[in-house]
Amino acid sequence: MADRMMLYRREFLRRSALAAASVAILSCTSATSVPPANGAAKSLTPVKGGTLTWGQWDKIDSIDPALTTGAAAGEIAQNILDTLITLDAEQKPHPALATKWTIEDSGKKFTFTLRDGVKFHDGTTLTSAAVKQSFERILKPELKAGAVVSLIGPIDTITTPNDSTVVFQFKSGYYAFMLQIWRYFFGIMSPKYMATLKPADPAVAPVGSGPFMFDSRSPDGVVTLKAFPDYNWGSETFKNRVAPYLQTLKFRAITEPSTRIATLESGENLLIDEIPEADYARLKNNSKYAFVLSPRASHTLGFSMNVAKAPTDDHAVREAVNWAVDRTSIVDKVFFGVHHVSVGPLSEGVWARDESIEKAFSFDPAKAKKILEDAGWKLPASGPIREKGGQKLEIALATFRSPWTEIAQAMQSQLRDVGIDLKVQVMERGPYLDYVRAYKHNMAATSSTAIDPDGILRVCYDSANRTTGSNFSNVNDKDLDALLTKGQSQELGTQERRQTYVDAQKKVMDILPFVGVMSQIRVEAMSAKVHDFKPGPDGLTGLPLNDTWVES
């Protein structure tokens, strides 16, 4: 633990030192490709073959689509598995394994017609039974896929009238189903493969119908995929709808940022996730590299606050934290201005985001001090940390990775200035999840990525999700639950639905179960030899690598 903290501290100081040197940085508000700085962009014809080596920012845990706990594993799963539909950059659904669908009974009934001629990697033919079995596997309590189960919504039955038709029936209207099922969590697996699994077994070598097939996982953690030569049912959202250009993909988790960038510069990896902002500033004009910048649609990056554990059970403490954090300083000095300051629960890029909430808090330590003082948190004569009824104002914050660790470390001195002792605990992912799901924390890294507020606000704040492990704030508010349930049953894109989620955001801000800091702009860095890598609509993961190719 000490070694890990030292690495994070070293990286934090490195960022801060470089920031102080006023290195210029490019920022963006929408998905942007930054080509190599070598004049006009090349017009090249894709070539087949080759290997893409990918250094990922997060640990590669289970690549079972329903059990992945991070985007790194998701990048792998979504290249192995196809989903019923895909979404484009405008959040419009397109056919994938399903060629058409109907939505009836006020969003309670969804009927999908499946594509003919689809084969899984093991030669099994796609039928409606495979779709039904894939979804029902997720729903089995033995699998413990609670966070993904919550995305399925109020499901009642899944039926298969014939081999090419599958019907999802819900207990109440759930139009947001279409905004969930394009995600890799709901990739369809071969029934032949699923027959080898017990209900609690993870899919360690999933068999799907995607453009790449699982090949191996080495003892040191490298996951290798091979092109599926028979693939010819790619979505219309891809230029290349048949077998991928690349022959091999190799994924390796490299969680230490400076090590990850070193592998790009040495040529060991052709693509890396989450290039440190300081290194982007240093390399963005180097013709050897290209970059893809995209907003991550998510809960605003920051920290959930446990509303049922002292001292964050005190609304005054939660409010004071929000006034005490200098978001602009953190974004500019720690992250080189790449990201954007964000206050409310929804980041940039999420539908129905209430921009008026962004003015709710600014940096006002004097106001934070007054709020704490009025709430009975007094400064003792013996030190800088406030006390109330003999209890020190100590907040236990749990984190396990960048950028939350850097944000937390920057917040430590800011909160101390108003009399709050923020104790940052940097953990490995497994112990972190156990700690947070047991509600031992006061603050924990915000989670949930989605293009729609249903996949964020309901996952993070519905009281039902206190048992699934995704409501890190331990919120239990009947009025908020009612709004989130109402939003599920309203037709997508309507003004009525938008107003419901504006009201839900305002209710969240009344409760204040989090402190938001920034909307993240993800920066993927790659060799200039890599072409046609595209971010997905949520900005968190790239699209399946159908179109991507590497110069020989």
Side-chain angles (χ1 to χ4, degrees):
M1 182 68 73
D3 291 343
R4 185 175 177 83
M5 177 63 83
M6 183 68 73
L7 287 172
Y8 276 114
R9 180 72 66 180
R10 188 181 304 145
E11 178 65 14
F12 173 74
L13 292 173
R14 185 174 70 89
R15 290 173 187 240
S16 300
L18 286 169
S22 300
V23 180
I25 192 73
L26 172 69
S27 64
C28 70
T29 57
S30 59
T32 307
S33 294
V34 183
N38 55 355
K42 298 178 183 178
S43 178
L44 298 173
T45 302
V47 297
K48 288 191 72 71
T51 298
L52 180 68
T53 48
W54 188 333
Q56 297 184 298
W57 72 305
D58 198 6
K59 286 191 174 181
I60 304 171
D61 51 13
S62 172
I63 60 174
D64 183 320
L67 298 176
T68 60
T69 55
E75 301 273 15
I76 300 170
Q78 69 184 3
N79 279 285
I80 299 172
L81 302 150
D82 287 322
T83 50
L84 289 173
I85 63 170
T86 62
L87 289 188
D88 63 19
E90 302 302 318
Q91 303 178 8
K92 177 184 175 182
H94 292 266
L97 291 183
T99 57
K100 59 183 180 179
W101 49 87
T102 59
I103 304 173
E104 303 169 275
D105 193 17
S106 300
K108 293 180 183 178
K109 183 181 180 182
F110 293 72
T111 303
F112 295 88
T113 301
L114 301 181
R115 189 180 300 277
D116 291 331
V118 174
K119 298 281 188 181
F120 292 103
H121 302 151
D122 59 9
T124 307
T125 300
L126 171 70
T127 67
S128 56
V131 178
K132 174 181 169 71
Q133 189 175 350
S134 292
F135 275 84
E136 289 184 340
R137 174 179 177 270
I138 294 170
L139 293 168
K140 291 179 179 177
E142 297 94 331
L143 192 64
K144 297 181 180 180
V148 177
V149 170
S150 70
L151 300 177
I152 296 179
I155 190 73
D156 188 12
T157 61
I158 305 172
T159 55
T160 55
N162 54 57
D163 282 351
S164 61
T165 307
V166 60
V167 180
F168 295 83
Q169 189 76 43
F170 292 87
K171 297 172 185 176
S172 57
Y174 187 42
Y175 286 101
F177 188 55
M178 296 295 288
L179 294 172
Q180 304 299 348
I181 58 173
W182 66 274
R183 303 168 80 178
Y184 58 80
F185 305 126
F186 305 112
I188 308 304
M189 290 198 290
S190 161
K192 182 178 178 180
Y193 174 71
M194 285 189 285
T196 68
L197 304 176
K198 296 177 181 177
D201 287 349
V204 297
V207 176
S209 61
F212 292 89
M213 305 178 289
F214 179 83
D215 182 71
S216 63
R217 185 166 190 160
S218 68
D220 62 348
V222 176
V223 177
T224 301
L225 308 184
K226 297 289 186 182
F228 181 30
D230 297 333
Y231 189 78
N232 66 359
W233 44 83
S235 168
E236 62 194 16
T237 56
F238 294 104
K239 292 185 294 185
N240 174 39
R241 301 179 64 184
V242 296
Y245 298 121
L246 292 164
Q247 176 56 36
T248 306
L249 306 178
K250 289 185 176 293
F251 300 86
R252 180 192 294 274
I254 308 173
T255 58
E256 210 288 306
S258 60
T259 302
R260 193 164 62 252
I261 188 66
T263 67
L264 177 70
E265 293 188 88
S266 70
E268 178 183 347
N269 284 310
L270 295 180
L271 171 68
I272 65 169
D273 289 322
E274 298 291 328
I275 178 174
E277 295 80 2
D279 291 305
Y280 174 61
R282 177 172 61 86
L283 296 175
K284 66 188 178 72
N285 292 319
N286 190 321
S287 63
K288 292 173 59 179
Y289 307 105
F291 304 89
V292 173
L293 285 70
S294 57
R296 175 187 173 188
S298 68
H299 193 294
T300 288
L301 266 64
F303 298 94
S304 302
M305 287 193 274
N306 187 345
V307 301
K309 179 180 172 65
T312 48
D313 61 341
D314 186 340
H315 188 280
V317 170
R318 302 198 299 274
E319 185 180 0
V321 168
N322 271 276
W323 287 111
V325 174
D326 187 351
R327 297 166 177 85
T328 299
S329 175
I330 292 172
V331 168
D332 289 346
K333 294 182 179 180
V334 180
F335 298 105
F336 291 77
V338 171
H339 313 299
H340 302 159
V341 168
S342 189
V343 170
L346 302 182
S347 77
E348 295 174 358
V350 179
W351 184 81
R353 184 184 194 230
D354 185 357
E355 296 294 338
S356 69
I357 288 176
E358 296 307 304
K359 300 176 182 178
F361 291 100
S362 60
F363 178 49
D364 193 338
K367 189 164 188 175
K369 292 175 183 178
K370 185 176 188 308
I371 289 169
L372 292 172
E373 194 76 20
D374 291 347
W377 293 98
K378 306 293 185 179
L379 279 173
S382 58
I385 304 305
R386 294 177 182 271
E387 297 179 0
K388 181 180 181 180
Q391 176 192 0
K392 286 187 175 295
L393 187 45
E394 297 177 348
I395 294 177
L397 183 152
T399 179
F400 68 99
R401 67 183 183 192
S402 176
W404 289 274
T405 300
E406 291 87 353
I407 297 172
Q409 291 169 337
M411 284 171 50
Q412 276 185 304
S413 62
Q414 295 173 3
L415 296 189
R416 192 172 186 84
D417 286 345
V418 302
I420 299 173
D421 186 9
L422 185 65
K423 295 184 177 298
V424 177
Q425 303 175 62
V426 182
M427 304 177 177
E428 296 291 336
R429 179 193 292 278
Y432 165 82
L433 289 173
D434 290 342
Y435 183 81
V436 171
R437 287 170 178 166
Y439 292 109
K440 296 179 180 178
H441 65 288
N442 291 117
M443 296 173 69
T446 52
S447 63
S448 192
T449 297
I451 59 176
D452 185 80
D454 175 75
I456 298 171
L457 300 182
R458 183 167 55 84
V459 170
C460 293
Y461 299 119
D462 192 310
S463 62
N465 291 329
R466 291 183 299 154
T467 58
T468 66
S470 63
N471 182 344
F472 290 171
S473 296
N474 211 359
V475 170
N476 183 12
D477 188 280
K478 292 181 179 179
D479 293 337
L480 179 57
D481 287 349
L483 286 167
L484 299 177
T485 299
K486 181 180 178 182
Q488 284 184 304
S489 64
Q490 293 175 303
E491 190 170 353
L492 300 182
T494 61
Q495 182 57 39
E496 292 78 12
R497 186 170 187 267
R498 179 183 294 274
Q499 186 59 51
T500 296
Y501 283 111
V502 168
D503 292 344
Q505 290 169 74
K506 293 184 185 301
K507 184 61 180 175
V508 170
M509 295 303 291
D510 288 341
I511 300 168
L512 271 187
F514 76 102
V515 54
V517 176
M518 66 189 193
S519 289
Q520 185 183 24
I521 305 298
R522 297 194 78 225
V523 184
E524 312 296 288
M526 61 205 74
S527 164
K529 294 180 179 180
V530 177
H531 299 270
D532 292 330
F533 174 88
K534 300 180 182 69
D538 61 6
L540 179 60
T541 58
L543 292 176
L545 300 172
N546 300 52
D547 292 341
T548 307
W549 59 282
V550 176
E551 287 182 53
S552 56

